[in-house]
Amino acid sequence: MSPGEESEWKTRKRRIDPRLDAIGWKLGQGAASPTPNRTEEHETQNGPADYVLWHERNIVGVVEAKKVTIGPQNVLTQAERYARGLGDTPFNLGGLRAPFLYSTSGEVTWFHDVRHPLNRSRRLAQFHTPNALAEMLGRDFDAECQRLAAIPHDHPRLRPYQREANAAVDKAIAERKRNLLVAMATGTGKTFTAVNQIYRLMKSGVARRVLFLVDRRALAAQTVRAFSSFEVEPGKKFDQVYEVYSSRFQTEDFGDEERFDPKVLPQGYLTDPKPGHAFVYVCTIQRMAINLLGRQAIFGLGDEHIEDDAERLDIPIHAFDAIIADEVHRGYTAQEVSTWRATLEHFDSIKIGLTATPASHTTAYFTHKVFTYSYEQAVREGHLVDYDVVTVKSDVRMNGVFLRQGENVEVVDPQTGLSQMDRLEDERQFDTTEIESKVTAPESNRMILAELKKHALEHERRCGRFPKTLIFAANDLGHTSHADQLVDLGREVFERGEAFVQKITGRVDRPLQRIREFRNRPTPAVVVTVDLLTTGVDIPDLEFIVFLRPVKSRILFEQMLGRGTRKGERHPDKDHFTVFDCFDGTLLAYFRSSTGITAEEPAQPTRLIAEIIEDVWANKDRDYNVGCLVKRLQRIDKSMSGDAREMFAAFVPDGDLAKFARDLPKTLRSNFTEAMGLLRSKDFQALLVGYPRPERTFVRAIEAQDNVTSTVVFRDVAGNEYKPEDYLALFAKFVRANEDHIEAVRILLDRPAGWSPQALSELREKLARSRYRFTPDNLQKAHEARYGKALVDIVSMVKHAADEQQPLLTAPERVERAFAKVTAGLQFTPEQLRWLDRIREHMRTNLSIDREDFDLIPIFADIGGLPIVTRAFAAEWLDRLIRDLNSAIAA
């Protein structure tokens, strides 16, 4: 019987009654029974109600049933009508004599808690159990919300925007909103904000049982640590006040240096929730999906390791009062989105989604975006750092690989890793989409890494440290791994040993431990990954991010970019990070015009060819599905081996599947039944899926050359990008326009005698705060790129901007010139010479000096400071020396 032929009575008996029975609403005697039960066709003043639910001898719910083909959402009003016609009950809610109303078709159920006018009706995965309704009746949600509002937002470690996020969530919950979204830029403390939010919810009673969902075991480990370190009150950690549980971790998830023993959630907390339970359960989406949907549900959810003890459980919909879902942008395919949604929708709870990059499928589910804190705002307020761009131009990356006749290549068997040399008998062209999947040019990868090394060494010279570097490779396949090749070449190019360059992907031993080592230790300094470090992993001191893999997903791109946005931990002077776009800037350009919320839809799942055939047989969108089938058959023809063609000859003439596909529309019109007989044949369909493919080969173009160059690109506060020459032209325009507005500029151009540390400080501040971000670091890089002069001092830059005849000097060169001018022809005692050496050393860094420096700067203060230097030079002569040196620096 088709659903369309099913009557309401059969729907009730086949679909609704078994569901009610299974969760404890057995058919009973109503008020005459002391246990929860249901009665059917209950008479009311407005007609018979299909079902009423009894608890402690009182009616607590009314259920309106409809046959399976009728959507139940719009028939809740019938349940209301019957609730108004009920006899004597302890409830009178604006005339409604029962607090809980349901409408259902057995497959779809809608629910309305009518105890508060702001409560919206909502769809449920199944009915509430008797215990769930008893718990709901025993709660005073209004009082809980009042207690929540009364808790001050005064945690000492909360930043202002984090307090605003918590307040926004509190307000939305009080307004009875249930699907909330908090969007905060990567690195702004989403987890810390969420932990504080959970404490507020638990302390007020709004939520007692809380599920914290993540999509990676690494994130689960980080989250458990966040709860254990969060101080809810002075001297009292979160997990000392409330229970915090997780699934089992492996030892390396936390590391030997962290003596931490996470508690495993008792199974009964899931299957038999009690009002007295108060806990947080940190769990991966993969494990919870297995618990709810079975192991088949996690196919397509990535390669995250799942514990063997994960099993399907009977978890009621009220198991959690609140769910915090982290990284809810995840779901690059429709299958992932479907599993996320099915897992979340099982529970009837307040749901709070956290993300840095909301996507359309995110906002479609988390309908109330209650708070946003953008990356741009975080940079503006000093909580994150901005990024600079280096575009790396590679002919291979932009144009593909062209191999000439007679060129030697190495042909690799991807299955075994065995390789053999071959001399090409004809030309071969691989386009850019085939690089690292069908062909690799090792020399191209080497040259890109060599270009990266130049920038890294310049950073090391300027900052005194090698930049922590993360390289995103195209893949990490067994015998043709791009990641492995980059690691091997990187060790050769950087010449700092095996440990200096490492791979961290799902294929390495103990990847979470490797991540911690990258975060906390000097080595590795360069890490190659594919997607393991794209999201949720904190490496604050990361300074270089290298894109050597093409990316088309804005969500993924922003998450990858977000690895570098945090302020430095061990290096507090980190004021930016650098992005290397190895596709000549096209990668960044591709995403430049996108908005914060992308309209990008997850990739749709591919229908099985058998499903397409059945849709043709059932005449569902016949022309469309015939077209789909033709394309699928033509694709198979192009990807089959010679053996497969012989096997297809048993079904179609000469095994020519392409011709069969071309003729199929006409064949179906002339003899539909016979053609469908072949298409629906189990043997034919099995061959369409399991036909032999040609052996895949992979080519190492060992003689292919590449031309690789790089250009630093500068970004203003609006995100506009400038080449070095354009950036310096803007700087020159800025200097000339502000000669009368910035005192330090006027001093350098007209009154060098007024130069001082205060003038230098003003100059740096005004330049950095301009819309073009004229920081000393940016200006130095621009001058080096434009003129080939490294580490130009800020005085030279300003003077050269106003007059191109002015020389470009480094700080040591400028200081030496000033000292030569001031000390020419003068005689000094040995003690005075020692002081002059110290002054020279100080000015090489600071380009100015005043009297106060002698008592403040360690190089002076440690040997007596101002009194001693005054005794060495005499006060009047010291003042003159300071004035003349400052003036000579600015001249």
Side-chain angles (χ1 to χ4, degrees):
M1 178 188 295
S2 71
E5 299 170 334
E6 185 175 291
S7 67
E8 181 180 312
W9 184 85
K10 286 184 177 178
T11 294
R12 288 172 61 174
K13 297 303 126 185
R14 294 177 57 188
R15 302 175 191 270
I16 301 174
D17 289 3
R19 284 171 168 77
L20 290 169
D21 289 339
I23 61 172
W25 296 111
K26 302 286 188 181
L27 190 62
Q29 303 299 315
S33 175
T35 58
N37 67 98
R38 75 175 190 271
T39 56
E40 300 180 359
E41 303 300 332
H42 183 91
E43 285 297 332
T44 77
Q45 295 175 13
N46 298 324
D50 291 332
Y51 304 90
V52 295
L53 307 178
W54 296 80
H55 192 273
E56 295 185 349
R57 304 183 190 276
N58 290 312
I59 295 174
V60 295
V62 175
V63 182
E64 173 64 16
K66 290 295 176 186
K67 65 179 183 178
V68 71
T69 55
I70 295 178
Q73 179 178 5
N74 296 320
V75 297
L76 270 173
T77 53
Q78 288 182 244
E80 287 184 16
R81 178 156 53 85
Y82 297 133
R84 291 185 188 281
L86 289 171
D88 187 30
T89 76
F91 307 102
N92 190 345
L93 305 160
L96 296 167
R97 306 308 298 271
F100 306 123
L101 309 180
Y102 299 84
S103 61
T104 183
S105 65
E107 301 300 328
V108 177
T109 299
W110 279 78
F111 167 71
H112 192 189
D113 177 353
V114 297
R115 293 175 298 165
H116 192 282
L118 290 181
N119 284 342
R120 292 274 308 276
S121 59
R122 56 187 183 265
R123 183 169 171 170
L124 300 179
Q126 60 188 44
F127 292 99
H128 294 102
T129 66
N131 286 343
L133 292 192
E135 184 177 335
M136 290 165 70
L137 287 170
R139 293 180 59 177
D140 185 344
F141 194 71
D142 279 329
E144 293 165 357
C145 287
Q146 289 171 10
R147 289 197 295 271
L148 179 63
I151 300 173
H153 295 277
D154 61 354
H155 193 287
R157 288 183 56 200
L158 280 178
R159 294 170 176 169
Y161 64 86
Q162 292 170 322
R163 295 189 182 95
E164 292 173 20
N166 288 153
V169 171
D170 293 352
K171 181 175 181 290
I173 290 173
E175 293 170 350
R176 298 322 201 258
K177 294 171 181 172
R178 296 177 65 83
N179 285 8
L180 315 180
L181 182 64
V182 174
M184 294 170 59
T186 299
T188 55
K190 289 190 298 294
T191 303
F192 187 84
T193 306
V195 172
N196 187 63
Q197 184 70 63
I198 291 169
Y199 176 67
R200 295 176 61 81
L201 296 177
M202 297 183 75
K203 184 176 181 179
S204 65
V206 168
R208 299 174 178 85
R209 303 180 298 267
V210 179
L211 173 64
F212 200 116
L213 272 180
V214 298
D215 72 333
R216 299 273 178 97
R217 223 175 64 241
L219 296 182
Q222 284 186 13
T223 304
V224 170
R225 281 200 305 272
F227 279 103
S228 68
S229 62
F230 185 87
E231 201 168 61
V232 298
E233 299 169 13
K236 192 173 287 186
K237 304 293 188 184
F238 189 106
D239 58 358
Q240 294 172 327
V241 179
Y242 297 110
E243 295 173 301
V244 177
Y245 294 104
S246 68
S247 53
R248 287 183 176 85
F249 291 110
Q250 299 176 7
T251 304
E252 63 269 18
D253 292 346
F254 289 95
D256 299 334
E257 73 277 5
E258 301 177 64
R259 299 179 63 84
F260 190 85
D261 184 23
K263 295 189 293 185
V264 176
L265 182 77
Q267 185 171 301
Y269 276 41
L270 288 176
T271 57
D272 187 20
K274 305 291 187 186
H277 290 164
F279 66 91
V280 177
Y281 178 37
V282 180
C283 181
T284 63
I285 180 68
Q286 292 86 350
R287 185 182 182 93
M288 186 54 66
I290 291 174
N291 291 157
L292 296 174
L293 310 170
R295 281 197 171 261
Q296 75 282 353
I298 65 169
F299 296 135
L301 280 184
D303 56 359
E304 185 74 5
H305 172 75
I306 306 298
E307 301 85 352
D308 293 336
D309 64 338
E311 59 182 341
R312 190 164 188 169
L313 301 172
D314 186 14
I315 302 176
I317 64 174
H318 73 293
F320 298 101
D321 303 311
I323 298 176
I324 311 295
D326 197 11
E327 308 289 357
V328 291
H329 59 273
R330 297 286 284 186
Y332 306 125
T333 68
Q335 176 61 42
E336 288 178 314
V337 174
S338 175
T339 302
W340 264 102
R341 288 193 68 151
T343 302
L344 290 169
E345 287 175 348
H346 175 83
F347 297 104
D348 182 38
S349 61
I350 296 166
K351 292 154 191 169
I352 305 171
L354 306 177
T355 184
T357 50
S360 57
H361 61 269
T362 311
T363 53
Y365 185 79
F366 294 95
T367 50
H368 302 288
K369 189 162 74 153
V370 298
F371 183 77
T372 300
Y373 189 67
S374 68
Y375 170 62
E376 291 76 17
Q377 187 176 354
V379 170
R380 226 170 24 246
E381 295 177 0
H383 298 298
L384 296 179
V385 298
D386 206 347
Y387 65 90
D388 291 338
V389 177
V390 174
T391 61
V392 179
K393 183 176 182 180
S394 155
D395 288 348
V396 164
R397 254 64 195 177
M398 299 310 298
N399 304 316
V401 175
F402 178 74
L403 301 177
R404 294 173 177 80
Q405 179 180 344
E407 198 165 328
N408 291 311
V409 297
E410 187 178 357
V411 181
V412 181
D413 182 342
Q415 301 300 316
T416 65
L418 296 175
S419 64
Q420 62 181 24
M421 297 300 296
D422 188 23
R423 183 181 292 273
L424 294 180
E425 298 179 17
D426 197 0
E427 297 175 344
R428 288 193 72 177
Q429 173 72 47
F430 295 89
D431 67 32
T432 56
T433 62
E434 296 175 308
I435 295 172
E436 308 307 343
S437 63
K438 293 184 178 180
V439 65
T440 186
E443 186 60 21
S444 172
N445 285 317
R446 184 196 311 276
M447 292 182 71
I448 289 172
L449 290 176
E451 200 68 21
L452 172 65
K453 179 183 178 181
K454 290 196 310 189
H455 291 274
L457 293 179
E458 172 57 31
H459 182 283
E460 188 174 37
R461 179 175 59 172
R462 191 170 59 251
C463 301
R465 62 178 179 273
F466 192 95
K468 280 275 185 186
T469 301
L470 182 61
I471 302 174
F472 287 106
N475 61 61
D476 187 26
L477 303 174
H479 297 295
T480 59
S481 168
H482 185 218
D484 284 345
Q485 183 187 149
L486 291 174
V487 169
D488 188 50
L489 290 171
R491 289 168 177 167
E492 181 181 322
V493 168
F494 290 108
E495 302 178 293
R496 301 201 185 191
E498 193 91 350
F500 193 76
V501 183
Q502 296 285 339
K503 178 178 77 172
I504 302 180
T505 69
R507 292 181 60 236
V508 303
D509 182 43
R510 299 187 173 184
L512 300 184
Q513 183 174 323
R514 302 285 88 80
I515 291 171
R516 277 196 310 279
E517 290 169 354
F518 183 43
R519 185 192 197 281
N520 299 325
R521 299 180 183 177
T523 56
V526 178
V527 156
V528 180
T529 190
V530 177
D531 59 7
L532 189 64
L533 285 89
T534 57
T535 181
V537 176
D538 299 341
I539 306 176
D541 294 312
L542 191 66
E543 294 187 275
F544 279 13
I545 294 179
V546 183
F547 285 95
L548 255 172
R549 71 174 272 193
V551 181
K552 293 298 182 185
S553 163
R554 159 158 276 285
I555 302 170
L556 181 59
F557 173 75
E558 288 188 352
Q559 287 293 322
M560 294 163 81
L561 206 63
R563 299 312 98 210
T565 59
R566 290 171 175 82
K567 298 173 74 173
E569 212 169 63
R570 288 169 177 76
H571 306 303
D573 60 332
K574 173 188 170 183
D575 58 6
H576 72 282
F577 67 103
T578 302
V579 177
F580 290 80
D581 181 345
C582 297
F583 301 89
D584 197 21
T586 59
L587 192 65
L588 286 160
Y590 179 80
F591 295 110
R592 191 173 295 128
S593 59
S594 300
T595 61
I597 298 182
T598 174
E600 166 190 341
E601 295 288 347
Q604 295 300 311
T606 301
R607 285 187 297 168
L608 299 175
I609 195 166
E611 293 173 334
I612 300 175
I613 291 170
E614 286 306 302
D615 284 345
V616 173
W617 174 248
N619 270 325
K620 290 182 180 177
D621 294 325
R622 180 165 162 177
D623 290 343
Y624 168 75
N625 282 303
V626 169
C628 291
L629 182 56
V630 167
K631 290 181 179 177
R632 193 72 65 86
L633 293 172
Q634 289 173 333
R635 200 153 61 229
I636 292 171
D637 183 81
K638 292 177 181 177
S639 61
M640 70 172 68
S641 67
D643 291 341
R645 200 167 299 281
E646 293 178 1
M647 296 168 73
F648 273 110
F651 298 95
V652 300
D654 301 323
D656 191 346
L657 201 61
K659 184 177 186 304
F660 174 78
R662 285 195 306 272
D663 295 342
L664 185 60
K666 180 179 178 182
T667 304
L668 287 169
R669 284 193 298 272
S670 62
N671 196 338
F672 183 79
T673 304
E674 183 179 335
M676 289 307 303
L678 170 62
L679 290 168
R680 299 183 77 207
S681 159
K682 291 192 184 318
D683 291 340
F684 185 59
Q685 288 190 5
L687 184 58
L688 289 174
V689 173
Y691 62 91
R693 276 77 166 170
E695 292 185 4
R696 188 172 77 88
T697 59
F698 184 80
V699 175
R700 286 199 186 106
I702 54 177
E703 295 182 5
Q705 298 298 305
D706 195 6
N707 180 37
V708 176
T709 57
S710 63
T711 303
V712 180
V713 178
F714 302 94
R715 301 171 68 247
D716 64 18
V717 295
N720 300 310
E721 296 179 353
Y722 307 96
K723 294 180 179 179
E725 56 270 27
D726 299 326
Y727 191 67
L728 291 180
L730 288 169
F731 179 60
K733 184 177 179 181
F734 179 88
V735 169
R736 289 192 292 270
N738 285 279
E739 184 175 350
D740 295 330
H741 304 289
I742 299 177
E743 179 66 16
V745 172
R746 186 185 306 166
I747 289 171
L748 287 177
L749 300 184
D750 296 325
R751 298 189 292 104
W755 187 247
S756 66
Q758 293 74 28
L760 176 62
S761 178
E762 181 208 14
L763 179 63
R764 285 174 171 162
E765 180 186 355
K766 292 290 177 63
L767 293 179
R769 288 176 59 185
S770 73
R771 60 168 292 194
Y772 300 107
R773 299 171 55 238
F774 292 128
T775 63
D777 187 53
N778 279 350
L779 290 169
Q780 283 183 341
K781 286 190 284 191
H783 280 87
E784 182 173 7
R786 178 71 177 85
Y787 298 107
K789 178 76 173 183
L791 300 177
V792 175
D793 74 83
I794 195 167
V795 173
S796 292
M797 291 188 265
V798 171
K799 296 174 82 67
H800 184 81
D803 178 5
E804 290 189 356
Q805 300 305 311
Q806 290 286 334
L808 292 173
L809 305 174
T810 64
E813 289 170 346
R814 180 164 292 278
V815 170
E816 288 306 316
R817 192 178 75 163
F819 266 75
K821 178 180 178 181
V822 170
T823 62
L826 299 177
Q827 298 293 320
F828 297 96
T829 67
E831 184 182 6
Q832 289 173 334
L833 289 173
R834 286 193 292 272
W835 274 103
L836 287 172
D837 287 341
R838 296 184 191 105
I839 293 170
R840 180 186 287 107
E841 187 66 26
H842 169 73
M843 295 189 75
R844 283 174 175 167
T845 304
N846 298 277
L847 287 174
S848 60
I849 191 169
D850 63 15
R851 290 177 63 89
E852 288 72 19
D853 289 339
F854 290 100
D855 283 332
L856 297 175
I857 306 301
I859 195 174
F860 304 134
D862 289 351
I863 55 172
L866 186 60
I868 303 301
V869 71
T870 302
R871 188 174 64 192
F873 283 102
E876 184 177 333
W877 205 90
L878 178 63
D879 289 340
R880 177 184 167 189
L881 177 65
I882 291 171
R883 185 173 61 252
D884 289 350
L885 285 174
N886 283 332
S887 180
I889 288 288

